[in-house]
Amino acid sequence: MAPPEYHLESFWDERFGKENHFEWLGDGQQTILPVLRDTLNTHAPSSNQQKTEQEDIPRLLHIGAGTSTLSDDIINIYREKFGNVKEATVLNTDFSKTAIERGNMVEEARGSRAVRWERADMLAWEDVKVLVKGSKDDDDVELFKIVVEKSTSDAISCAEDIVLQPLKPSTSSIFPLLQSYLARQPHLNFSIQPMKLLSLHLAAVVAPNGVWLALSYSQERFQFLAEQEGKETQSEICPSLYWRVEGVRGVDAPSGQEAAGVYTPRIQHYVYVLRRTEIRIDLAL
């Protein structure tokens, strides 16, 4: 059986054109949001400290925002922790332009500048690299400290392996480390799993020691990181150089709860905390 077409932009544009709200793997209140609160506690001032400076408030990238209420919950938690936050502290992205147009309309109506929405295919380097820039013509970059996603990795995992061909040195459509790797092996027939490519792209836009918080239905979603650890030969395109699984917690899914007189099998979802290593990626973004 073929996997759902969750990796296709057309699938999401059609779905979001008809659907105003849907929560993949629940609304996050009992799963990923408590982990985000704990993460932000390491940045928020204690009661006897002065207020956190705006530049110290961690910038957050929310991928696959869709029609979930998670984007609202994220900025509400930020305001609880830090009060007012500066422009574009939270960046919501989605594959679907329909979701982005809707998100921007909501933020415009609210008059909020703390939240920004950008359409991005997280497997396309030309989309990813501009997320850390104030504008496409801006040479300065501001890396993210936190990535949040709710089942976006699950959707991306439905895609087939991506076949890459060596391109001209001037191209900007392939992640530079991959481009360099392919250039050294011009006759290599090379393909990469979508989750590995996503991991490399996020490693480029997340600061060292940043975190990636992911809610997934799969207990093996990031197994590829563990499988690569400890290998004697690791190239610069090995995702485990840049990410390590710091923790994973199973939580009961709503569909696995017992009802009066009825028992349904226990189903779990998994909250992952991935830590960005100290290895820097020196890129001309």
Side-chain angles (χ1 to χ4, degrees):
M1 180 181 296
E5 296 182 328
Y6 294 156
H7 59 293
L8 297 179
E9 180 181 0
S10 56
F11 173 90
W12 294 108
D13 276 339
E14 180 178 358
R15 177 163 183 160
F16 291 148
K18 304 173 183 176
E19 179 181 88
N20 292 323
H21 172 244
F22 188 79
E23 299 292 349
W24 294 93
L25 309 189
D27 61 9
Q29 294 292 337
Q30 305 301 319
T31 53
I32 198 166
L33 287 171
V35 181
L36 175 60
R37 283 191 175 91
D38 290 343
T39 300
L40 290 178
N41 282 339
T42 64
H43 296 272
S46 62
S47 57
N48 61 349
Q49 289 178 320
Q50 295 181 352
K51 187 177 179 180
T52 303
E53 296 294 334
Q54 287 289 313
E55 57 267 23
D56 296 328
I57 298 175
R59 194 172 182 224
L60 182 145
L61 174 65
H62 176 199
I63 63 175
T67 58
S68 170
T69 59
L70 187 62
S71 56
D72 289 336
D73 291 328
I74 288 171
I75 192 59
N76 288 338
I77 291 174
Y78 263 74
R79 287 170 175 149
E80 290 172 8
K81 298 290 184 183
F82 306 110
N84 292 328
V85 292
K86 67 179 181 179
E87 184 174 351
T89 294
V90 173
L91 177 59
N92 296 318
T93 69
D94 201 273
F95 200 13
S96 165
K97 62 179 180 297
T98 304
I100 297 305
E101 289 171 356
R102 182 179 298 163
N104 277 323
M105 287 177 61
V106 170
E107 296 305 327
E108 184 177 350
R110 291 172 176 169
S112 171
R113 292 184 176 272
V115 178
R116 186 158 59 93
W117 288 74
E118 292 285 348
R119 189 266 170 198
D121 176 355
M122 296 305 296
L123 298 183
W125 176 242
E126 61 267 30
D127 285 0
V128 174
K129 67 181 181 179
V130 299
L131 297 179
V132 291
K133 295 186 177 185
S135 70
K136 293 186 178 180
D137 298 325
D138 192 352
D139 291 332
D140 295 330
V141 299
E142 184 179 0
L143 299 179
F144 297 97
K145 298 290 183 65
I146 303 172
V147 175
V148 171
E149 53 127 326
K150 188 157 65 76
S151 204
T152 301
S153 289
D154 298 332
I156 285 176
S157 297
C158 293
E160 296 181 352
D161 288 0
I162 299 164
V163 178
L164 298 175
Q165 299 292 337
L167 299 178
K168 297 178 180 179
S170 61
T171 185
S172 61
S173 61
I174 293 182
F175 181 59
L177 291 183
L178 277 171
Q179 186 176 317
S180 175
Y181 180 81
L182 292 172
R184 296 196 304 270
Q185 305 179 70
H187 303 295
L188 180 67
N189 185 14
F190 182 83
S191 64
I192 186 169
Q193 294 175 8
M195 278 301 297
K196 291 183 179 180
L197 185 58
L198 173 65
S199 299
L200 292 174
H201 285 174
L202 287 179
V205 298
V206 174
N209 205 40
V211 294
W212 175 1
L213 309 179
L215 177 62
S216 172
Y217 67 76
S218 174
Q219 193 174 8
E220 300 179 347
R221 182 58 64 223
F222 295 94
Q223 186 62 33
F224 66 91
L225 293 176
E227 291 172 351
Q228 292 175 319
E229 289 180 355
K231 287 187 176 181
E232 293 184 2
T233 56
Q234 287 188 329
S235 73
E236 70 273 24
I237 64 170
C238 185
S240 63
L241 287 177
Y242 310 106
W243 295 104
R244 59 183 175 84
V245 179
E246 188 171 87
V248 56
R249 178 167 62 95
V251 293
D252 287 342
S255 58
Q257 303 295 323
E258 292 187 36
V262 178
Y263 175 77
T264 54
R266 186 184 186 195
I267 298 174
Q268 288 207 308
H269 297 155
Y270 300 90
V271 181
Y272 292 87
V273 178
L274 293 92
R275 181 71 61 177
R276 180 70 170 82
T277 68
E278 295 291 339
I279 299 177
R280 295 181 178 272
I281 299 178
D282 186 15
L283 299 174
L285 295 170

